[in-house]
Amino acid sequence: MAKRYGAAKEQTALGRVLSMFAADADAARYDTDTGLAWGAFETAEGNDNAYRRSAKIRLLGFGPADLPAGAGSDLKMVKGNGGDSWLTIHGFRQGSVYSLYVQKPYVPEDDAEGVDYARLIADQLDSAVITPLAVNCAKSADGDGPDTQSTAFYSIKVDGGTIWMAGTVEEGGKYSGGNIILNFTREEPAQEMNACTGK
């Protein structure tokens, strides 16, 4: 069932990015209209026209938390905010952004009642209609085995149009911290949804 959300009192940086993405805005606007400090262009392997860029963002709805920093044997916990995240866009130099994702460190507070992806993203938007499409996946999105990442799919109607979101949890290990991943596309991930529901 679709549900209208509107938790943010005003449009956040992520909200602006999602509205621009839904409207297929020109890639240059991500520099001028989002208020984010984007990192350098990273060219995709095998395609000089494709790139990715990342920016730090802070998601609303979180408080102080111990966050993983570093990797491998250098991994340690540092004080921060549970909403401190990375936003990464994928696009073409001669065209628009074709996908984006948010990577948020997984903190103990996220596990209190399971990860509510819809509420997490709704807290960043001043207005949205969020419809759950497949939230109890039995199989992985590639259909090769059981789902172990709490995978769920939603459609989100924002200013600019409708986009699709896939939420997953990447578990941490001895030398890595876990992450919540929110992946956004303008095309419905029908194949992945069918695979995860066993259809």
Side-chain angles (χ1 to χ4, degrees):
M1 179 182 295
K3 187 173 182 179
R4 177 172 292 278
Y5 288 90
K9 294 181 179 180
E10 59 184 30
Q11 191 70 294
T12 64
L14 180 58
R16 288 191 293 272
V17 167
L18 293 180
S19 292
M20 290 167 51
F21 179 65
D24 198 10
D26 186 82
R29 289 188 55 197
Y30 287 79
D31 279 310
T32 60
D33 296 357
T34 63
L36 295 173
W38 296 97
F41 285 92
E42 297 180 29
T43 302
E45 184 176 353
N47 187 343
D48 291 340
N49 185 43
Y51 70 89
R52 71 175 186 176
R53 301 179 77 186
S54 298
K56 288 183 178 181
I57 60 171
R58 175 168 289 183
L59 303 180
L60 300 181
F62 298 90
D66 292 326
L67 305 178
S73 60
D74 293 327
L75 180 70
K76 60 182 179 180
M77 304 303 289
V78 298
K79 297 295 183 182
N81 185 285
D84 288 344
S85 308
W86 284 96
L87 169 64
T88 299
I89 59 175
H90 294 264
F92 296 112
R93 293 182 186 276
Q94 304 300 322
S96 60
V97 171
Y98 60 83
S99 70
L100 60 90
Y101 70 89
V102 173
Q103 177 177 311
K104 190 192 95 62
Y106 193 78
V107 296
E109 289 81 356
D110 294 325
D111 200 30
E113 299 178 359
V115 180
D116 187 345
Y117 301 113
R119 172 52 61 189
L120 193 161
I121 194 62
D123 285 346
Q124 319 311 313
L125 306 173
D126 61 353
S127 179
V129 176
I130 301 176
T131 304
L133 302 175
V135 295
N136 295 302
C137 291
K139 296 184 177 181
S140 61
D142 58 14
D144 286 343
D147 177 51
T148 60
Q149 296 185 304
S150 301
T151 305
F153 295 89
Y154 303 83
S155 66
I156 305 175
K157 185 176 181 181
V158 295
D159 291 340
T162 298
I163 55 179
W164 282 264
M165 178 180 78
T168 57
V169 174
E170 292 182 344
E171 291 187 1
K174 181 178 180 181
Y175 294 119
S176 64
N179 293 292
I180 294 174
I181 305 295
L182 304 177
N183 190 67
F184 300 89
T185 60
R186 277 192 299 273
E187 294 185 3
E188 182 180 11
Q191 182 176 345
E192 291 84 353
M193 287 193 295
N194 289 338
C196 87
T197 55
K199 294 182 179 180

